[in-house]
Amino acid sequence: RAALFSISCLAVMLGFLICRAIVISKFGKVLVAIRDAEARTRFLGYRVESYKLLVFTLSACMAGVAGALYVPQVGIINPSEFAPGNSIEAVIWVAVGGRGTLTGAVLGAVLVNYAKTYFTSGILAPYWLYMLGGLFIAVTLLLPRGIVGSLHHWNALRRDRASAAAEEGVSEP
């Protein structure tokens, strides 16, 4: 069991590092351009389909490794594993942690799964999906960028205010 946990942690770290390398590379910048303005990226001469195919293939490989590690941990896979709630839960992980950030997705997954473990172990188990929906609505209304995205945004605002204050102090005689 400890070896399986270690292999899973290693796979998560390796997957994170691969994704991080892609995000900061020229390839990642082209992917952002495709996401934001696909027609414009195509007009600039990039073969959009090739980029999409490569990213889809990479994500399928990562999903395959995740599935191969998931089955030994839970012991058995049944049709309830493919319930819509599980897919929605993954979307909520990203929404809670922060869209557009790799660390946000990881943080969201940890927090939501901790909450799931805490609330489903007691008398609140039948209400977990309602609480999950409420969490999604609260995050959407109160933290639309998620936790990590909001922290980044607040830090940028703080830096802008500090630089504006510094410029005002310098420009005054």
Side-chain angles (χ1 to χ4, degrees):
R1 194 127 187 119
L4 182 61
F5 181 75
S6 300
I7 292 170
S8 297
C9 287
L10 182 66
V12 167
M13 287 189 289
L14 183 63
F16 183 85
L17 292 175
I18 289 171
C19 290
R20 184 72 186 149
I22 287 173
V23 166
I24 63 174
S25 70
K26 179 185 173 191
F27 181 76
K29 294 188 186 338
V30 173
L31 291 176
V32 170
I34 291 170
R35 179 196 68 195
D36 292 343
E38 184 175 337
R40 184 179 295 169
T41 307
R42 184 175 282 122
F43 181 74
L44 290 173
Y46 291 99
R47 298 188 62 198
V48 172
E49 294 79 16
S50 299
Y51 282 88
K52 285 182 170 182
L53 179 64
L54 185 62
V55 169
F56 177 79
T57 305
L58 179 65
S59 66
C61 290
M62 293 173 104
V65 170
L69 291 171
Y70 181 73
V71 172
Q73 289 185 21
V74 297
I76 189 169
I77 293 294
N78 57 37
S80 69
E81 295 292 331
F82 301 103
N86 293 339
S87 297
I88 293 168
E89 198 171 306
V91 171
I92 294 173
W93 295 345
V94 175
V96 168
R99 295 177 295 117
T101 63
L102 295 174
T103 53
V106 174
L107 178 66
V110 169
L111 290 176
V112 171
N113 281 316
Y114 177 76
K116 181 179 183 178
T117 302
Y118 180 76
F119 288 117
T120 58
S121 63
I123 59 171
L124 299 174
Y127 306 108
W128 166 243
L129 287 179
Y130 296 111
M131 293 169 52
L132 190 63
L135 174 66
F136 184 65
I137 291 169
V139 165
T140 303
L141 294 175
L142 303 175
L143 294 172
R145 293 178 178 92
I147 295 170
V148 173
S150 294
L151 290 175
H152 286 194
H153 179 70
W154 294 333
N155 281 336
L157 288 176
R158 186 180 50 79
R159 275 187 263 119
D160 290 345
R161 272 188 254 132
S163 65
E167 287 177 9
E168 287 178 8
V170 171
S171 64
E172 291 180 11

